[in-house]
Amino acid sequence: MDGACLELAGKIPAESSPLAGTDESALVRRAQAGDRTAFDALVRLYDREVLRLAMRVVKSEDEAADLYQEAFLKVYRSLGRFRFESSFSTWLYRVVVNVCLDHLRRQRSRNEVQPPEQEPGEPEYFHSLADPNPGQHPEQALRAREIGGRIHAALEQLTPRERMVFELKHYQGLKLRAIGQLCGTTEETAKNCLFRATQKLRSCLADLL
Amino acid sequence: MVCEEIEAKMTLYLYGELPDSECAAVEEHFAACADCARHAATARRLQQLLNQQPVAEPAPELLVHCRQALEVALDYEQLGWHSLLRDWTPALSLSHPSGIVAVVGLVIFGFGLGWTLRPQTGRVHTAAPAQASSQATLADLSGARISAIRQVAPDPETGGVKITLDAEHRVTMEGSLDDPRIRDVMLYALRSYSNPGIRLDTLEALRSKVDTPAVQPAFLYVLQHDPNLGLRMEALNAVRKTDWNPEVRGALLNVVEHDKNPGLRGAVVDELSRRALQQHDLQVIQELQRLAETDSDRYVRQKSLSALVALGAAGP
Ligand SMILES: [Zn+2]
């Protein structure tokens, strides 16, 4: 794993990464030659992160599973075109971010033709997630759920690109330069997206601040 | 700086993207300008509010479901749907991404005790992590009280595994998957640890050893007793590849008899009928007959019946 990346991600020293090690490229080469076991190994290195990101941009587990599959099928189909000009993880996450952006765009155009069936404050939730705070008082839990709904609805007001930039910045802690790369745009555009996103969120959630 | 400039830089400042040289000016301005200071306080409250909706860990069932669905989809790809699908899929603009690497949400728990288990070598090697307060040997672990397991990660380089856990002291060690001390921790994780994500990781790490006498019972235990359906499914997937023996057969028969989930019972019926065909196992055929007649779930009954028909053990 590239040290620059981890510095950008602001996370951990490279040697702690389970993805560290030179033989990832060997796995990629084997997968490029059609070795399914190698491809499966690559999937398992990254798929939890991919699913976690997918869950952030969709409304249901079914949709998250669809994005997961779409992303890895795209990776599988275009793996032959990967030329080791970047790290495999950058390349893979570009595919994933593209799939998420496409999903957000499709969702947005659907929302424009038909009004949402649910009240904006009551989005559908993932049911099988582990309860992050099991000892919570029921009233607190209800309140947290309400706030969660409001946040979700506010995030839905963002354009696909604003949403993606905001997710990668606020929730995944990436640097704007890396976000620009993943979203196929410049650092400056990513910066503007982040600015607009926070403005919109602040006005949507003003009464909670 | 004037207020308009501050407004433009506030978001970057709060997300740690403003150069140090400009941060000082922004902070000075906050100290002097009540309006902008109030604005910044609101922006901070927004960040805190948004943090109340943290990034959730995917449920293991969902991850397992995704992996299985992907495997099926990839099978279709290899069977020749590839060209068809490719024509329908717009080409990805993936050429020439530059050298900067980004990792999305790579969360590593750096605290605790890390082990790298190497399946081939019996070598036990110890190394202190950067911030470790002490350097310890694997032998130290036998007396250490384990309070939490943070992560179980496969190491693609060695085919081994790295376990991070909290214990009374912090060490990094390398050992073999065959080392009984290491095995004991992993078996502890599989049988007793409450976090299903960790159990799933442990299962995966041990997968290559499923045929060994020390590890196989743990897989059979998970298959029969894990509260998480995804884990039981994964254990079944691993057990499919093992040699047939009385323990495997007993576990599979126990699952079809007692597991509450018809999906898993159906999958085990498939496995049993495959084994019955290979092994001419009469007891399995009898169990399939019982299931075809008495299982509470129609899907399981039908599956068992089809299996018997395929085995030639029942009329159509
Ligand atoms: Zn001011």
Side-chain angles (χ1 to χ4, degrees):
Chain A
M1 181 70 45
D2 198 308
C5 140
L6 292 151
E7 190 195 331
L8 283 171
K11 301 283 179 184
I12 47 145
E15 61 272 16
S16 308
S17 166
L19 314 183
T22 47
D23 86 329
E24 181 176 285
S25 55
L27 277 180
V28 174
R29 280 180 225 280
R30 275 169 53 199
Q32 284 178 325
D35 181 340
R36 264 284 289 282
T37 314
F39 186 76
D40 286 348
L42 289 171
V43 168
R44 278 160 192 257
L45 279 179
Y46 292 103
D47 68 344
R48 196 182 298 239
E49 304 299 333
V50 169
L51 187 57
R52 195 181 289 144
L53 182 63
M55 282 164 59
R56 293 280 328 164
V57 300
V58 300
K59 291 179 185 169
S60 70
E61 289 189 345
D62 282 348
E63 284 179 309
D66 287 348
L67 285 198
Y68 172 105
Q69 179 160 136
E70 192 182 339
F72 280 112
L73 282 177
K74 282 194 173 168
V75 168
Y76 183 77
R77 286 175 200 141
S78 46
L79 195 60
R81 277 175 270 152
F82 175 62
R83 296 273 174 259
F84 296 90
E85 283 152 350
S86 70
S87 79
F88 177 70
S89 66
T90 299
W91 182 82
L92 179 134
Y93 284 122
R94 281 195 72 172
V95 178
V96 174
V97 166
N98 257 315
V99 166
C100 291
L101 277 169
D102 284 346
H103 171 86
L104 290 167
R105 288 180 190 124
R106 283 196 301 268
Q107 196 176 46
R108 200 172 169 85
S109 57
R110 268 202 306 274
N111 289 348
E112 275 161 13
V113 285
Q114 60 189 61
E117 285 166 29
Q118 289 163 318
E119 286 295 304
E122 283 293 321
E124 191 184 330
Y125 272 108
F126 297 107
H127 296 294
S128 58
L129 292 177
D131 186 349
N133 201 348
Q136 211 172 29
H137 195 271
E139 277 168 32
Q140 286 174 324
L142 185 67
R143 174 80 181 140
R145 216 182 136 83
E146 274 172 21
I147 290 174
R150 287 286 308 277
I151 292 170
H152 202 95
L155 289 170
E156 297 225 309
Q157 302 303 307
L158 307 180
T159 67
R161 191 181 267 176
E162 288 164 3
R163 173 74 186 270
M164 213 56 224
V165 168
F166 189 78
E167 287 293 341
L168 294 171
K169 180 73 229 175
H170 185 91
Y171 290 106
Q172 314 289 345
L174 298 195
K175 287 285 180 197
L176 284 166
R177 194 152 58 105
I179 294 171
Q181 298 241 318
L182 292 186
C183 296
T185 181
T186 61
E187 182 179 356
E188 199 53 33
T189 305
K191 209 179 271 184
N192 290 332
C193 284
L194 178 68
F195 185 69
R196 283 196 304 273
T198 48
Q199 295 282 359
K200 285 185 187 177
L201 292 172
R202 203 180 307 165
S203 71
C204 281
L205 300 166
D207 60 307
L208 296 173
L209 298 174
Chain B
M1 273 193 235
V2 294
C3 296
E4 289 77 40
E5 286 177 77
I6 296 294
E7 170 74 27
K9 291 181 194 297
M10 180 131 33
T11 305
L12 296 178
Y13 172 77
L14 290 172
Y15 279 108
E17 293 267 1
L18 206 59
D20 288 348
S21 54
E22 293 186 55
C23 286
V26 169
E27 281 157 13
E28 269 171 38
H29 185 94
F30 288 158
C33 173
D35 266 0
C36 285
R38 207 167 39 241
H39 230 102
T42 311
R44 280 204 189 87
R45 281 199 300 277
L46 177 68
Q47 286 190 321
Q48 285 159 4
L49 181 75
L50 293 165
N51 288 337
Q52 288 180 27
Q53 202 201 32
V55 179
E57 190 59 33
E61 297 97 316
L62 183 61
L63 193 61
V64 170
H65 163 78
C66 286
R67 286 174 178 174
Q68 285 174 342
L70 179 64
E71 224 160 87
V72 172
L74 288 172
D75 286 344
Y76 281 128
E77 290 270 319
Q78 287 188 324
L79 287 171
W81 290 29
H82 194 169
S83 54
L84 189 66
L85 284 169
R86 190 167 46 196
D87 293 342
W88 292 350
T89 314
L92 289 162
S93 53
L94 290 166
S95 52
H96 311 297
S98 92
I100 293 180
V101 184
V103 169
V104 178
L106 181 66
V107 180
I108 304 297
F109 302 93
F111 180 81
L113 183 68
W115 279 356
T116 304
L117 317 185
R118 296 178 186 276
Q120 277 95 30
T121 64
R123 188 163 66 99
V124 174
H125 158 85
T126 74
Q131 286 142 16
S133 52
S134 68
Q135 191 167 351
T137 62
L138 192 56
D140 289 355
L141 203 77
S142 53
R145 199 174 53 82
I146 296 159
S147 56
I149 297 177
R150 296 294 183 189
Q151 190 192 39
V152 179
D155 182 341
E157 196 180 350
T158 60
V161 65
K162 185 173 197 165
I163 309 173
T164 303
L165 49 78
D166 293 347
E168 278 162 356
H169 43 233
R170 200 189 297 178
V171 284
T172 293
M173 296 157 169
E174 289 178 5
S176 158
L177 267 180
D178 298 318
D179 187 315
R181 289 164 295 189
I182 281 163
R183 214 175 46 219
D184 286 349
V185 175
M186 300 189 87
L187 298 185
Y188 161 81
L190 274 187
R191 284 166 184 266
S192 322
Y193 202 60
S194 61
N195 181 328
I198 293 290
R199 294 203 304 278
L200 180 62
D201 290 340
T202 307
L203 204 67
E204 279 174 17
L206 284 171
R207 210 184 168 98
S208 64
K209 295 272 160 189
V210 65
D211 255 327
T212 63
V215 172
Q216 191 174 80
F219 275 75
L220 298 179
Y221 178 88
V222 171
L223 171 62
Q224 294 172 88
H225 303 294
D226 198 283
N228 187 295
L229 175 63
L231 268 288
R232 301 204 299 280
M233 283 285 195
E234 276 296 89
L236 174 64
N237 287 338
V239 166
R240 275 186 225 279
K241 290 166 188 120
T242 63
D243 291 338
W244 192 235
N245 63 40
E247 287 73 31
V248 171
R249 188 179 68 178
L252 291 173
L253 291 174
N254 188 38
V255 171
V256 285
E257 200 173 335
H258 297 295
D259 199 281
K260 287 192 176 63
N261 186 283
L264 181 62
R265 293 205 304 279
V268 172
V269 165
D270 284 342
E271 179 59 10
L272 280 172
S273 59
R274 188 177 72 84
R275 299 288 199 167
L277 193 62
Q278 283 173 356
Q279 315 287 334
H280 310 288
D281 191 323
L282 200 62
Q283 195 191 337
V284 168
I285 292 172
Q286 284 168 352
E287 181 60 20
L288 289 171
Q289 281 168 342
R290 187 193 68 77
L291 288 167
E293 287 163 18
T294 63
D295 193 277
S296 61
D297 186 86
R298 187 159 158 266
Y299 160 78
V300 176
R301 291 198 304 272
Q302 278 182 345
K303 256 187 138 26
S304 307
L305 190 62
S306 321
L308 288 167
V309 171
L311 287 166

